[in-house]
Amino acid sequence: MRGRDPVKVIREAVAKTLVFYYPFAGRLREMAGRKLAVDCTGEGVLFVEADADVTLKDFGDALQPPFPCLEELLFDVPGSGEVLHSPLLLIQVTRLKCGGFIFALRLNHTMSDAAGLVQFMTAVGEMARGAPAPSIPPVWQRELLNARNPPRVTCTHREYDQVADTKGTIVPLDDMAHRSFFFGPTEVAALRRLVPPHLRRSSTFELLAACLWRCRTVALRPDPEEEVRVICIVNARSKFNPPLPSGYYGNGFAFPVALTTAGKLCENPVGYAVELVKKAKAEVTEEYMRSVADLMVSSGRPHFTVVRSYLVSDLTHAGFGEVDFGWGKAVYGGAAKGGVGAIPGVASFFIPFNNTSGEQGIVVPVCLPAPAMDIFVKELQSMLKPPPVPAVVEHIATATSSKTFITSAL
């Protein structure tokens, strides 16, 4: 790719890919009962070309969210951010002074989940490298997840509870602190030591989700009697029989929720939270997904509960970092910041990451009000500190001496 312009290459590749993913070139409309549909108008997507007089090194050694100058790296084109009647994709390619470039993308999430978006981006990469068509043909088939007729809600969906914010506990918009936290093998092992033996085999996602939920709740200091919840994004593509087709690029996930009171969450050991997360994830079955679709139709597409909620999404296997536009794999691939969405501070993403020592792990961006962030950091550090080393004190006496020796054995 020496001498080739990444802006030109990627723009042409996006155009070719949209032939196969033509719904992305349309606009969303709202039908009866608040049902969303794509009007395939062929109006296209937004593409921004930019140059920056900085090098990749100017962004620092550890490339992780939140990224500086994000507003410049993905320009919010005025009037482009609405759900309805707006472009469904906004893409910006920024050339850097060192010869590298930054590819940034904003997606209307009603179109795709992380797996679907990576499938599209992978196709763009293939076209950029000269392929005549995507290796995985895209599958629309949204009817696979249609509601039943008549709809019947058979499962409990507490994630869609209509909760009033009676005590003003929605995270405020101003004075927000954004920080990222790295969890390598050492940190994960430290957290695993905090749970009882029967939970030691819990997945890293379950462990991290529980620990972060607990730390966050401690930091925000809600009333002990108030309900708090963690919403786990669960990929449900394999839950169907047969599974959703491999080329399906719509949303194929559920929002199962674990909930308890703030008092119980903060006062109990972290194993209590892990149990709740595991139970919530296990609820997602094909029947659960059918029930959610029926709830959407019968209740007019409600939004998930954001009051005293924390949403966690695992992107460690999504494959953003594997996308190759012809210049090799990215040095970072994943979310640009945490706390995105209608309510800032609600969401965190688990992103695969190599730290400056070359250690593989997970980086998690967290967004909280500044005073709460200080408490969050202290709480997390107390969980991660190494266990105290036991000291064995021995009293040694001899027949010839009355001296006492105190020795410690590690």
Side-chain angles (χ1 to χ4, degrees):
M1 305 300 279
R2 184 182 298 277
R4 298 193 66 189
D5 178 8
V7 170
K8 185 173 185 292
V9 169
I10 293 172
R11 182 169 50 206
E12 289 176 359
V14 168
K16 291 174 182 174
T17 307
L18 286 173
V19 174
F20 300 91
Y21 286 84
Y22 60 88
F24 273 131
R27 299 292 183 265
L28 277 183
R29 307 282 187 259
E30 197 168 56
M31 317 293 279
R34 298 190 74 227
K35 181 166 178 62
L36 297 173
V38 180
D39 188 359
C40 293
T41 59
E43 290 175 75
V45 305
L46 284 174
F47 189 96
V48 179
E49 172 182 357
D51 289 282
D53 58 352
V54 295
T55 67
L56 191 61
K57 285 186 176 178
D58 292 327
F59 285 89
D61 291 332
L63 288 169
Q64 62 185 34
F67 285 98
C69 314
L70 184 57
E71 290 73 23
E72 285 77 32
L73 295 171
L74 188 60
F75 175 62
D76 183 9
V77 178
S80 70
E82 298 301 315
V83 173
L84 301 176
H85 313 291
S86 290
L88 300 173
L89 288 173
L90 167 65
I91 296 170
Q92 178 171 326
V93 179
T94 305
R95 303 181 193 91
L96 301 177
K97 201 163 60 173
C98 57
F101 64 90
I102 295 173
F103 175 97
L105 180 147
R106 184 183 72 195
L107 163 79
N108 185 319
H109 212 328
T110 58
M111 291 294 290
S112 296
D113 54 16
L117 178 58
V118 169
Q119 183 182 307
F120 170 78
M121 288 171 62
T122 301
V124 173
E126 290 172 339
M127 305 298 260
R129 301 194 313 272
S135 58
I136 300 175
V139 175
W140 181 254
Q141 290 187 18
R142 302 301 170 100
E143 69 277 4
L144 292 171
L145 297 180
N146 272 0
R148 296 171 285 205
N149 190 11
R152 53 186 189 276
V153 180
T154 53
C155 302
T156 304
H157 301 287
R158 299 295 306 273
E159 60 271 31
Y160 295 104
D161 286 351
Q162 299 306 298
V163 179
D165 187 25
T166 52
K167 302 197 177 181
T169 48
I170 284 185
V171 175
L173 290 168
D174 54 354
D175 193 27
M176 298 297 281
H178 292 257
R179 281 192 61 173
S180 284
F181 300 89
F182 177 75
F183 298 90
T186 304
E187 289 79 9
V188 172
L191 296 178
R192 225 174 265 288
R193 284 194 293 268
L194 299 177
V195 300
H198 71 283
L199 293 175
R200 297 265 166 87
R201 296 179 69 86
S202 301
S203 71
T204 301
F205 172 83
E206 291 161 350
L207 198 62
L208 282 183
C211 292
L212 293 169
W213 180 32
R214 189 176 181 278
C215 290
R216 186 177 181 276
T217 305
V218 170
L220 289 171
R221 295 177 168 168
D223 187 308
E225 297 304 313
E226 286 194 301
E227 276 189 340
V228 292
R229 56 192 75 210
V230 63
I231 300 171
C232 305
I233 300 294
V234 173
N235 186 342
R237 290 161 183 262
S238 63
K239 307 289 184 183
F240 292 88
N241 186 16
L244 294 180
S246 62
Y248 182 82
Y249 63 99
N251 286 290
F253 64 85
F255 283 112
V257 67
L259 76 163
T260 182
T261 65
K264 285 182 181 176
L265 181 62
C266 298
E267 290 159 15
N268 275 296
V270 74
Y272 172 78
V274 174
E275 294 268 24
L276 291 174
V277 169
K278 289 174 77 74
K279 181 173 176 290
K281 279 180 59 189
E283 290 173 358
V284 180
T285 60
E286 179 169 5
E287 180 58 32
Y288 184 94
M289 297 301 289
R290 300 292 178 200
S291 179
V292 167
D294 294 348
L295 176 74
M296 289 291 113
V297 168
S298 56
S299 300
R301 191 165 52 84
H303 196 286
F304 67 86
T305 307
V306 295
V307 178
R308 295 184 296 281
S309 293
Y310 179 46
L311 185 146
V312 283
S313 179
D314 185 2
L315 300 180
T316 55
H317 303 293
F320 286 107
E322 304 299 308
V323 174
D324 182 357
F325 298 112
W327 284 265
K329 293 177 183 177
V331 288
Y332 172 86
K337 62 179 181 178
V340 297
I343 308 294
V346 167
S348 279
F349 304 100
F350 296 1
I351 303 161
F353 188 76
N354 286 356
N355 67 8
T356 50
S357 305
E359 195 177 31
Q360 283 191 324
I362 297 169
V363 69
V364 183
V366 174
C367 178
L368 282 169
M373 182 63 82
D374 294 337
I375 302 169
F376 178 91
V377 170
K378 288 176 187 170
E379 192 68 21
L380 183 59
Q381 285 174 344
S382 71
M383 284 185 166
L384 295 174
K385 67 183 178 185
V389 178
V392 180
V393 178
E394 299 173 352
H395 185 95
I396 303 175
T398 64
T400 57
S401 171
S402 61
K403 289 180 181 175
T404 300
F405 297 92
I406 305 296
T407 63
S408 69
L410 301 187

